PDB file of all heavy atoms in Angstrom:
ATOM      1  N   GLU A 206      -2.684  -3.385  16.126  1.00  0.00           N
ATOM      2  CA  GLU A 206      -1.358  -2.823  15.787  1.00  0.00           C
ATOM      3  C   GLU A 206      -0.814  -3.369  14.480  1.00  0.00           C
ATOM      4  O   GLU A 206      -0.302  -2.683  13.641  1.00  0.00           O
ATOM      5  CB  GLU A 206      -0.344  -3.039  16.945  1.00  0.00           C
ATOM      6  CG  GLU A 206       0.986  -2.319  16.690  1.00  0.00           C
ATOM      7  CD  GLU A 206       1.996  -2.535  17.795  1.00  0.00           C
ATOM      8  OE1 GLU A 206       1.619  -3.213  18.800  1.00  0.00           O
ATOM      9  OE2 GLU A 206       3.141  -2.150  17.630  1.00  0.00           O
ATOM     10  N   LEU A 207      -0.962  -4.744  14.334  1.00  0.00           N
ATOM     11  CA  LEU A 207      -0.486  -5.371  13.121  1.00  0.00           C
ATOM     12  C   LEU A 207      -1.322  -4.894  11.931  1.00  0.00           C
ATOM     13  O   LEU A 207      -0.742  -4.587  10.871  1.00  0.00           O
ATOM     14  CB  LEU A 207      -0.623  -6.894  13.228  1.00  0.00           C
ATOM     15  CG  LEU A 207      -0.278  -7.686  11.970  1.00  0.00           C
ATOM     16  CD1 LEU A 207       1.184  -7.531  11.622  1.00  0.00           C
ATOM     17  CD2 LEU A 207      -0.581  -9.195  12.170  1.00  0.00           C
ATOM     18  N   LYS A 208      -2.627  -4.822  12.092  1.00  0.00           N
ATOM     19  CA  LYS A 208      -3.463  -4.339  10.964  1.00  0.00           C
ATOM     20  C   LYS A 208      -3.081  -2.916  10.565  1.00  0.00           C
ATOM     21  O   LYS A 208      -2.972  -2.649   9.361  1.00  0.00           O
ATOM     22  CB  LYS A 208      -4.942  -4.357  11.420  1.00  0.00           C
ATOM     23  CG  LYS A 208      -5.861  -3.974  10.263  1.00  0.00           C
ATOM     24  CD  LYS A 208      -7.311  -3.891  10.691  1.00  0.00           C
ATOM     25  CE  LYS A 208      -8.180  -3.366   9.555  1.00  0.00           C
ATOM     26  NZ  LYS A 208      -9.555  -3.126   9.984  1.00  0.00           N
ATOM     27  N   CYS A 209      -2.821  -2.068  11.537  1.00  0.00           N
ATOM     28  CA  CYS A 209      -2.421  -0.694  11.236  1.00  0.00           C
ATOM     29  C   CYS A 209      -1.093  -0.661  10.485  1.00  0.00           C
ATOM     30  O   CYS A 209      -0.927   0.049   9.530  1.00  0.00           O
ATOM     31  CB  CYS A 209      -2.291   0.071  12.555  1.00  0.00           C
ATOM     32  SG  CYS A 209      -1.955   1.820  12.341  1.00  0.00           S
ATOM     33  N   GLN A 210      -0.173  -1.493  10.906  1.00  0.00           N
ATOM     34  CA  GLN A 210       1.163  -1.534  10.248  1.00  0.00           C
ATOM     35  C   GLN A 210       1.042  -2.046   8.807  1.00  0.00           C
ATOM     36  O   GLN A 210       1.656  -1.513   7.884  1.00  0.00           O
ATOM     37  CB  GLN A 210       2.091  -2.494  11.020  1.00  0.00           C
ATOM     38  CG  GLN A 210       2.569  -1.929  12.362  1.00  0.00           C
ATOM     39  CD  GLN A 210       3.345  -2.964  13.182  1.00  0.00           C
ATOM     40  OE1 GLN A 210       3.270  -4.131  12.928  1.00  0.00           O
ATOM     41  NE2 GLN A 210       4.048  -2.466  14.159  1.00  0.00           N
ATOM     42  N   ILE A 211       0.234  -3.103   8.626  1.00  0.00           N
ATOM     43  CA  ILE A 211       0.049  -3.644   7.269  1.00  0.00           C
ATOM     44  C   ILE A 211      -0.625  -2.632   6.337  1.00  0.00           C
ATOM     45  O   ILE A 211      -0.161  -2.408   5.213  1.00  0.00           O
ATOM     46  CB  ILE A 211      -0.847  -4.929   7.316  1.00  0.00           C
ATOM     47  CG1 ILE A 211      -0.138  -6.049   8.091  1.00  0.00           C
ATOM     48  CG2 ILE A 211      -1.245  -5.401   5.901  1.00  0.00           C
ATOM     49  CD1 ILE A 211       1.096  -6.609   7.416  1.00  0.00           C
ATOM     50  N   MET A 212      -1.640  -1.972   6.809  1.00  0.00           N
ATOM     51  CA  MET A 212      -2.344  -0.965   6.004  1.00  0.00           C
ATOM     52  C   MET A 212      -1.398   0.152   5.601  1.00  0.00           C
ATOM     53  O   MET A 212      -1.420   0.655   4.471  1.00  0.00           O
ATOM     54  CB  MET A 212      -3.553  -0.392   6.756  1.00  0.00           C
ATOM     55  CG  MET A 212      -4.601  -1.430   7.153  1.00  0.00           C
ATOM     56  SD  MET A 212      -5.153  -2.466   5.764  1.00  0.00           S
ATOM     57  CE  MET A 212      -6.167  -1.325   4.851  1.00  0.00           C
ATOM     58  N   GLU A 213      -0.556   0.530   6.537  1.00  0.00           N
ATOM     59  CA  GLU A 213       0.459   1.599   6.259  1.00  0.00           C
ATOM     60  C   GLU A 213       1.480   1.098   5.268  1.00  0.00           C
ATOM     61  O   GLU A 213       1.820   1.852   4.304  1.00  0.00           O
ATOM     62  CB  GLU A 213       1.107   2.013   7.582  1.00  0.00           C
ATOM     63  CG  GLU A 213       1.978   3.253   7.494  1.00  0.00           C
ATOM     64  CD  GLU A 213       2.583   3.643   8.818  1.00  0.00           C
ATOM     65  OE1 GLU A 213       1.873   3.557   9.865  1.00  0.00           O
ATOM     66  OE2 GLU A 213       3.745   4.035   8.838  1.00  0.00           O
ATOM     67  N   GLU A 214       1.926  -0.119   5.466  1.00  0.00           N
ATOM     68  CA  GLU A 214       2.935  -0.684   4.532  1.00  0.00           C
ATOM     69  C   GLU A 214       2.422  -0.810   3.106  1.00  0.00           C
ATOM     70  O   GLU A 214       3.134  -0.551   2.164  1.00  0.00           O
ATOM     71  CB  GLU A 214       3.355  -2.083   5.052  1.00  0.00           C
ATOM     72  CG  GLU A 214       4.618  -2.667   4.418  1.00  0.00           C
ATOM     73  CD  GLU A 214       5.875  -1.877   4.787  1.00  0.00           C
ATOM     74  OE1 GLU A 214       6.022  -1.531   5.963  1.00  0.00           O
ATOM     75  OE2 GLU A 214       6.704  -1.599   3.900  1.00  0.00           O
ATOM     76  N   LEU A 215       1.168  -1.196   2.971  1.00  0.00           N
ATOM     77  CA  LEU A 215       0.585  -1.417   1.682  1.00  0.00           C
ATOM     78  C   LEU A 215       0.543  -0.146   0.828  1.00  0.00           C
ATOM     79  O   LEU A 215       0.450  -0.177  -0.383  1.00  0.00           O
ATOM     80  CB  LEU A 215      -0.824  -1.988   1.779  1.00  0.00           C
ATOM     81  CG  LEU A 215      -0.897  -3.453   2.176  1.00  0.00           C
ATOM     82  CD1 LEU A 215      -2.336  -3.873   2.453  1.00  0.00           C
ATOM     83  CD2 LEU A 215      -0.297  -4.355   1.106  1.00  0.00           C
ATOM     84  N   ARG A 216       0.572   1.011   1.476  1.00  0.00           N
ATOM     85  CA  ARG A 216       0.530   2.308   0.760  1.00  0.00           C
ATOM     86  C   ARG A 216       1.933   2.766   0.369  1.00  0.00           C
ATOM     87  O   ARG A 216       2.093   3.672  -0.449  1.00  0.00           O
ATOM     88  CB  ARG A 216      -0.096   3.387   1.611  1.00  0.00           C
ATOM     89  CG  ARG A 216      -1.634   3.306   1.691  1.00  0.00           C
ATOM     90  CD  ARG A 216      -2.125   4.496   2.459  1.00  0.00           C
ATOM     91  NE  ARG A 216      -3.613   4.557   2.412  1.00  0.00           N
ATOM     92  CZ  ARG A 216      -4.283   5.167   1.449  1.00  0.00           C
ATOM     93  NH1 ARG A 216      -3.671   5.721   0.400  1.00  0.00           N
ATOM     94  NH2 ARG A 216      -5.600   5.196   1.497  1.00  0.00           N
ATOM     95  N   LYS A 217       3.004   2.153   0.959  1.00  0.00           N
ATOM     96  CA  LYS A 217       4.345   2.635   0.718  1.00  0.00           C
ATOM     97  C   LYS A 217       4.854   2.180  -0.649  1.00  0.00           C
ATOM     98  O   LYS A 217       4.392   1.161  -1.234  1.00  0.00           O
ATOM     99  CB  LYS A 217       5.297   2.122   1.799  1.00  0.00           C
ATOM    100  CG  LYS A 217       5.001   2.733   3.176  1.00  0.00           C
ATOM    101  CD  LYS A 217       6.004   2.196   4.183  1.00  0.00           C
ATOM    102  CE  LYS A 217       5.790   2.778   5.587  1.00  0.00           C
ATOM    103  NZ  LYS A 217       6.677   2.182   6.557  1.00  0.00           N
ATOM    104  N   PRO A 218       5.847   2.915  -1.227  1.00  0.00           N
ATOM    105  CA  PRO A 218       6.398   2.600  -2.556  1.00  0.00           C
ATOM    106  C   PRO A 218       6.926   1.184  -2.695  1.00  0.00           C
ATOM    107  O   PRO A 218       6.939   0.634  -3.770  1.00  0.00           O
ATOM    108  CB  PRO A 218       7.492   3.664  -2.731  1.00  0.00           C
ATOM    109  CG  PRO A 218       7.132   4.808  -1.866  1.00  0.00           C
ATOM    110  CD  PRO A 218       6.426   4.153  -0.672  1.00  0.00           C
ATOM    111  N   GLY A 219       7.395   0.603  -1.591  1.00  0.00           N
ATOM    112  CA  GLY A 219       7.868  -0.774  -1.663  1.00  0.00           C
ATOM    113  C   GLY A 219       6.799  -1.818  -2.014  1.00  0.00           C
ATOM    114  O   GLY A 219       7.102  -2.840  -2.565  1.00  0.00           O
ATOM    115  N   CYS A 220       5.541  -1.444  -1.706  1.00  0.00           N
ATOM    116  CA  CYS A 220       4.435  -2.356  -1.981  1.00  0.00           C
ATOM    117  C   CYS A 220       3.552  -1.894  -3.132  1.00  0.00           C
ATOM    118  O   CYS A 220       3.118  -2.711  -3.934  1.00  0.00           O
ATOM    119  CB  CYS A 220       3.576  -2.484  -0.723  1.00  0.00           C
ATOM    120  SG  CYS A 220       4.159  -3.720   0.452  1.00  0.00           S
ATOM    121  N   SER A 221       3.308  -0.600  -3.185  1.00  0.00           N
ATOM    122  CA  SER A 221       2.301  -0.075  -4.139  1.00  0.00           C
ATOM    123  C   SER A 221       2.698   1.252  -4.704  1.00  0.00           C
ATOM    124  O   SER A 221       3.648   1.903  -4.238  1.00  0.00           O
ATOM    125  CB  SER A 221       0.941   0.037  -3.454  1.00  0.00           C
ATOM    126  OG  SER A 221       0.537  -1.168  -2.832  1.00  0.00           O
ATOM    127  N   GLU A 222       1.935   1.689  -5.663  1.00  0.00           N
ATOM    128  CA  GLU A 222       2.015   3.083  -6.094  1.00  0.00           C
ATOM    129  C   GLU A 222       0.593   3.667  -6.109  1.00  0.00           C
ATOM    130  O   GLU A 222      -0.400   2.936  -6.349  1.00  0.00           O
ATOM    131  CB  GLU A 222       2.648   3.182  -7.480  1.00  0.00           C
ATOM    132  CG  GLU A 222       1.865   2.596  -8.626  1.00  0.00           C
ATOM    133  CD  GLU A 222       2.501   2.823  -9.975  1.00  0.00           C
ATOM    134  OE1 GLU A 222       3.366   1.944 -10.370  1.00  0.00           O
ATOM    135  OE2 GLU A 222       2.219   3.812 -10.640  1.00  0.00           O
ATOM    136  N   ILE A 223       0.512   4.966  -5.840  1.00  0.00           N
ATOM    137  CA  ILE A 223      -0.790   5.654  -5.853  1.00  0.00           C
ATOM    138  C   ILE A 223      -0.908   6.358  -7.222  1.00  0.00           C
ATOM    139  O   ILE A 223      -0.028   7.134  -7.584  1.00  0.00           O
ATOM    140  CB  ILE A 223      -0.841   6.725  -4.751  1.00  0.00           C
ATOM    141  CG1 ILE A 223      -0.384   6.144  -3.425  1.00  0.00           C
ATOM    142  CG2 ILE A 223      -2.280   7.218  -4.641  1.00  0.00           C
ATOM    143  CD1 ILE A 223      -1.158   5.067  -2.812  1.00  0.00           C
ATOM    144  N   ARG A 224      -1.917   5.942  -7.972  1.00  0.00           N
ATOM    145  CA  ARG A 224      -2.097   6.538  -9.274  1.00  0.00           C
ATOM    146  C   ARG A 224      -3.604   6.832  -9.532  1.00  0.00           C
ATOM    147  O   ARG A 224      -4.427   5.921  -9.389  1.00  0.00           O
ATOM    148  CB  ARG A 224      -1.617   5.580 -10.367  1.00  0.00           C
ATOM    149  CG  ARG A 224      -1.432   6.237 -11.770  1.00  0.00           C
ATOM    150  CD  ARG A 224      -1.275   5.187 -12.835  1.00  0.00           C
ATOM    151  NE  ARG A 224      -0.246   4.240 -12.566  1.00  0.00           N
ATOM    152  CZ  ARG A 224      -0.178   3.021 -13.152  1.00  0.00           C
ATOM    153  NH1 ARG A 224      -1.116   2.628 -14.012  1.00  0.00           N
ATOM    154  NH2 ARG A 224       0.775   2.170 -12.882  1.00  0.00           N
ATOM    155  N   ASP A 225      -3.910   8.081  -9.919  1.00  0.00           N
ATOM    156  CA  ASP A 225      -5.319   8.481 -10.145  1.00  0.00           C
ATOM    157  C   ASP A 225      -6.226   8.151  -8.980  1.00  0.00           C
ATOM    158  O   ASP A 225      -7.364   7.698  -9.156  1.00  0.00           O
ATOM    159  CB  ASP A 225      -5.831   7.847 -11.446  1.00  0.00           C
ATOM    160  CG  ASP A 225      -5.037   8.224 -12.667  1.00  0.00           C
ATOM    161  OD1 ASP A 225      -4.488   9.366 -12.693  1.00  0.00           O
ATOM    162  OD2 ASP A 225      -4.878   7.392 -13.594  1.00  0.00           O
ATOM    163  N   GLY A 226      -5.677   8.348  -7.771  1.00  0.00           N
ATOM    164  CA  GLY A 226      -6.522   8.051  -6.576  1.00  0.00           C
ATOM    165  C   GLY A 226      -6.665   6.601  -6.234  1.00  0.00           C
ATOM    166  O   GLY A 226      -7.319   6.238  -5.293  1.00  0.00           O
ATOM    167  N   LYS A 227      -5.975   5.722  -7.002  1.00  0.00           N
ATOM    168  CA  LYS A 227      -6.032   4.262  -6.711  1.00  0.00           C
ATOM    169  C   LYS A 227      -4.734   3.787  -6.096  1.00  0.00           C
ATOM    170  O   LYS A 227      -3.655   4.324  -6.415  1.00  0.00           O
ATOM    171  CB  LYS A 227      -6.315   3.498  -8.008  1.00  0.00           C
ATOM    172  CG  LYS A 227      -7.710   3.794  -8.597  1.00  0.00           C
ATOM    173  CD  LYS A 227      -7.916   2.950  -9.844  1.00  0.00           C
ATOM    174  CE  LYS A 227      -9.353   3.197 -10.385  1.00  0.00           C
ATOM    175  NZ  LYS A 227      -9.591   2.433 -11.624  1.00  0.00           N
ATOM    176  N   VAL A 228      -4.843   2.767  -5.274  1.00  0.00           N
ATOM    177  CA  VAL A 228      -3.665   2.103  -4.675  1.00  0.00           C
ATOM    178  C   VAL A 228      -3.394   0.832  -5.523  1.00  0.00           C
ATOM    179  O   VAL A 228      -4.222  -0.113  -5.505  1.00  0.00           O
ATOM    180  CB  VAL A 228      -3.882   1.748  -3.226  1.00  0.00           C
ATOM    181  CG1 VAL A 228      -2.580   1.192  -2.636  1.00  0.00           C
ATOM    182  CG2 VAL A 228      -4.336   2.985  -2.433  1.00  0.00           C
ATOM    183  N   LEU A 229      -2.284   0.834  -6.283  1.00  0.00           N
ATOM    184  CA  LEU A 229      -1.988  -0.297  -7.153  1.00  0.00           C
ATOM    185  C   LEU A 229      -0.799  -1.062  -6.599  1.00  0.00           C
ATOM    186  O   LEU A 229       0.330  -0.595  -6.569  1.00  0.00           O
ATOM    187  CB  LEU A 229      -1.657   0.230  -8.548  1.00  0.00           C
ATOM    188  CG  LEU A 229      -2.783   1.050  -9.234  1.00  0.00           C
ATOM    189  CD1 LEU A 229      -2.317   1.582 -10.585  1.00  0.00           C
ATOM    190  CD2 LEU A 229      -4.047   0.221  -9.372  1.00  0.00           C
ATOM    191  N   PHE A 230      -1.104  -2.275  -6.128  1.00  0.00           N
ATOM    192  CA  PHE A 230      -0.094  -3.146  -5.533  1.00  0.00           C
ATOM    193  C   PHE A 230       0.831  -3.689  -6.613  1.00  0.00           C
ATOM    194  O   PHE A 230       0.426  -4.124  -7.681  1.00  0.00           O
ATOM    195  CB  PHE A 230      -0.836  -4.281  -4.829  1.00  0.00           C
ATOM    196  CG  PHE A 230       0.075  -5.254  -4.064  1.00  0.00           C
ATOM    197  CD1 PHE A 230       0.596  -4.882  -2.817  1.00  0.00           C
ATOM    198  CD2 PHE A 230       0.332  -6.517  -4.560  1.00  0.00           C
ATOM    199  CE1 PHE A 230       1.408  -5.732  -2.125  1.00  0.00           C
ATOM    200  CE2 PHE A 230       1.133  -7.390  -3.820  1.00  0.00           C
ATOM    201  CZ  PHE A 230       1.659  -7.020  -2.606  1.00  0.00           C
ATOM    202  N   HIS A 231       2.139  -3.708  -6.310  1.00  0.00           N
ATOM    203  CA  HIS A 231       3.152  -4.273  -7.284  1.00  0.00           C
ATOM    204  C   HIS A 231       3.016  -5.797  -7.240  1.00  0.00           C
ATOM    205  O   HIS A 231       3.481  -6.480  -6.323  1.00  0.00           O
ATOM    206  CB  HIS A 231       4.564  -3.848  -6.869  1.00  0.00           C
ATOM    207  CG  HIS A 231       4.816  -2.380  -6.860  1.00  0.00           C
ATOM    208  ND1 HIS A 231       4.435  -1.588  -7.932  1.00  0.00           N
ATOM    209  CD2 HIS A 231       5.321  -1.569  -5.914  1.00  0.00           C
ATOM    210  CE1 HIS A 231       4.746  -0.310  -7.629  1.00  0.00           C
ATOM    211  NE2 HIS A 231       5.294  -0.273  -6.428  1.00  0.00           N
ATOM    212  N   ASN A 232       2.384  -6.308  -8.278  1.00  0.00           N
ATOM    213  CA  ASN A 232       2.056  -7.751  -8.317  1.00  0.00           C
ATOM    214  C   ASN A 232       2.935  -8.493  -9.348  1.00  0.00           C
ATOM    215  O   ASN A 232       2.500  -9.522  -9.870  1.00  0.00           O
ATOM    216  CB  ASN A 232       0.552  -7.879  -8.722  1.00  0.00           C
ATOM    217  CG  ASN A 232       0.034  -9.278  -8.531  1.00  0.00           C
ATOM    218  OD1 ASN A 232       0.304  -9.937  -7.559  1.00  0.00           O
ATOM    219  ND2 ASN A 232      -0.713  -9.759  -9.533  1.00  0.00           N
TER     220      ASN A 232
END
């Protein structure tokens, strides 16, 4: 459940942006 939540969170705008098919984490 935690893994599922983290993977979902990592795709959200608060963590990352999706650009050209890539997931780019706000670092």
Side-chain angles (χ1 to χ4, degrees):
E206 186 182 353
L207 175 64
K208 184 185 173 186
C209 186
Q210 289 173 342
I211 294 293
M212 300 307 287
E213 190 178 321
E214 193 69 43
L215 285 172
R216 282 185 173 274
K217 290 181 180 177
C220 277
S221 306
E222 66 176 88
I223 314 294
R224 193 195 309 159
D225 300 327
K227 294 181 178 180
V228 184
L229 303 177
F230 185 75
H231 299 309
N232 191 44

